[in-house]
Amino acid sequence: MKYTIIGCITKYGVDDIRPYVESIEKSGFNGEKVMLIYDVSTDVIEYLTKKGWILFQSQLEEHIILQRFRDMYVILNQYKTDWIIWTDVKDVIFQQNPIKWIDDNSSYTRLFAFSESVYLKDDPWAVINTGSSFPMEWELGIKDKISYCAGTIIGDRNTIRDLFIQIYRWSKTTANPGQLSDQAAYNVLINLEQFRTITKFVRQEAGFATQLGTVWCKKDELPILEPTPIYKDGKFYNQSGDEFVIVHQYDRDPKIKKEIIELYK
């Protein structure tokens, strides 16, 4: 089986992406690493190349949050792999090699969606973002679903490819075109039959991804559905003491951001 980590960046310097790149290397991941790049410096290109990344370059014509899904659809029609680990870059680190977790959990599954541990209707940001982007779907029941993060997705190549072009198309036809709606579109799509039946909806406590923007930073503001992660010596753990494979949105806590940057210097 071939595994590929894929990210996307623009206007980031080497220091912005260093924790991401170095943490993947430190995790022991031995699959391929692909970065879709837009406006980045020669230093960034040289750094990623030396670290063994395959680079695809494109020109931004619209907001990166949307265009990345369109461009990745084109790339994935050519690039061959079995499993894709799609993540944000600037606020993600890998604490472990993701391959073992995928192998242990991928039976009868083509897509993994990772929980933010809060119902969409209980997150004020989602109420506006998803509720105003797709008001019909919201009232027909999406509001009662758990929120899943568009910045950490795993799937087989064909499923990710087709999901991404759907995210792009849906994001272009919302009821509120003034806001970015990739995550709103993602949450609608994974609850439609063609994606829902092939998706494993993964709780935080399963140990793959912790989304700190909700479960850590807003644990006292929102009715979070799962326990607060355990943080010790620069690492995040679930309640069973297992290290999360991915930590997302660590930069929303200034103290933790500083510690993680130091850890991967």
Side-chain angles (χ1 to χ4, degrees):
M1 297 288 281
K2 182 177 176 181
Y3 302 83
T4 305
I5 292 173
I6 297 183
C8 172
I9 58 172
T10 193
K11 297 186 184 298
Y12 287 173
V14 172
D15 288 342
D16 294 320
I17 64 174
R18 192 186 307 277
Y20 181 76
V21 172
E22 298 296 333
S23 70
I24 292 170
E25 195 167 88
K26 191 174 180 180
S27 78
F29 177 75
N30 59 358
E32 288 193 341
K33 301 168 291 187
V34 169
M35 191 72 77
L36 171 58
I37 60 174
Y38 295 99
D39 183 9
V40 298
S41 68
T42 302
D43 287 346
V44 168
I45 292 172
E46 289 177 354
Y47 172 67
L48 288 170
T49 301
K50 287 178 181 177
K51 292 293 184 177
W53 287 74
I54 300 166
L55 305 182
F56 291 89
Q57 188 152 22
S58 186
Q59 185 72 35
L60 276 178
E61 299 165 350
E62 54 190 314
H63 200 291
I64 186 175
I65 291 295
L66 298 186
Q67 188 176 324
R68 58 180 178 163
F69 291 106
R70 184 196 74 184
D71 290 346
M72 282 310 310
Y73 172 74
V74 174
I75 291 167
L76 293 176
N77 271 285
Q78 310 162 38
Y79 177 78
K80 305 298 183 183
T81 190
D82 295 301
W83 284 96
I84 288 170
I85 303 108
W86 163 263
T87 69
D88 290 345
V89 174
K90 193 177 181 181
D91 61 353
V92 166
I93 57 166
F94 283 71
Q95 296 188 145
Q96 295 189 63
N97 186 336
I99 293 176
K100 183 179 185 306
W101 191 96
I102 296 170
D103 286 347
D104 289 346
N105 291 275
S106 59
S107 297
Y108 309 108
T109 300
R110 292 169 58 189
L111 189 70
F112 292 97
F114 297 99
S115 174
E116 295 193 316
S117 305
V118 64
Y119 288 112
L120 286 161
K121 65 184 178 183
D122 291 332
D123 182 351
W125 179 84
V127 170
I128 295 172
N129 185 263
T130 307
S132 66
S133 294
F134 304 107
M136 179 179 70
E137 290 83 358
W138 182 262
E139 291 302 329
L140 288 174
I142 289 297
K143 65 182 179 182
D144 298 317
K145 302 294 186 180
I146 292 172
S147 177
Y148 291 87
C149 182
T152 52
I153 308 172
I154 293 176
D156 68 49
R157 185 201 71 150
N158 291 348
T159 301
I160 289 284
R161 179 197 64 197
D162 295 349
L163 172 66
F164 280 9
I165 195 60
Q166 291 290 338
I167 290 174
Y168 177 75
R169 298 295 187 197
W170 276 66
S171 297
K172 299 286 282 185
T173 58
T174 75
N176 187 357
Q179 70 177 356
L180 297 169
S181 55
D182 61 310
Q183 181 148 313
Y186 172 60
N187 275 276
V188 171
L189 285 163
I190 59 176
N191 282 287
L192 297 181
E193 191 72 5
Q194 64 263 43
F195 286 112
R196 184 188 62 78
T197 55
I198 59 171
T199 299
K200 182 172 285 189
F201 296 88
V202 184
R203 299 169 64 249
Q204 175 189 258
E205 280 299 295
F208 188 85
T210 180
Q211 318 287 353
L212 298 184
T214 52
V215 298
W216 184 267
C217 297
K218 295 184 179 179
K219 62 182 183 293
D220 298 323
E221 303 171 33
L222 303 179
I224 301 298
L225 301 171
E226 299 190 69
T228 303
I230 298 165
Y231 182 63
K232 183 179 179 182
D233 300 326
K235 299 281 188 178
F236 279 93
Y237 303 83
N238 66 8
Q239 298 302 303
S240 299
D242 302 320
E243 276 187 39
F244 288 103
V245 177
I246 283 177
V247 176
H248 185 208
Q249 300 162 340
Y250 68 84
D251 62 344
R252 300 189 189 186
D253 182 315
K255 180 176 180 292
I256 289 173
K257 177 182 177 181
K258 183 178 180 181
E259 291 176 1
I260 285 178
I261 287 173
E262 288 294 320
L263 190 63
Y264 291 105
K265 267 188 174 179

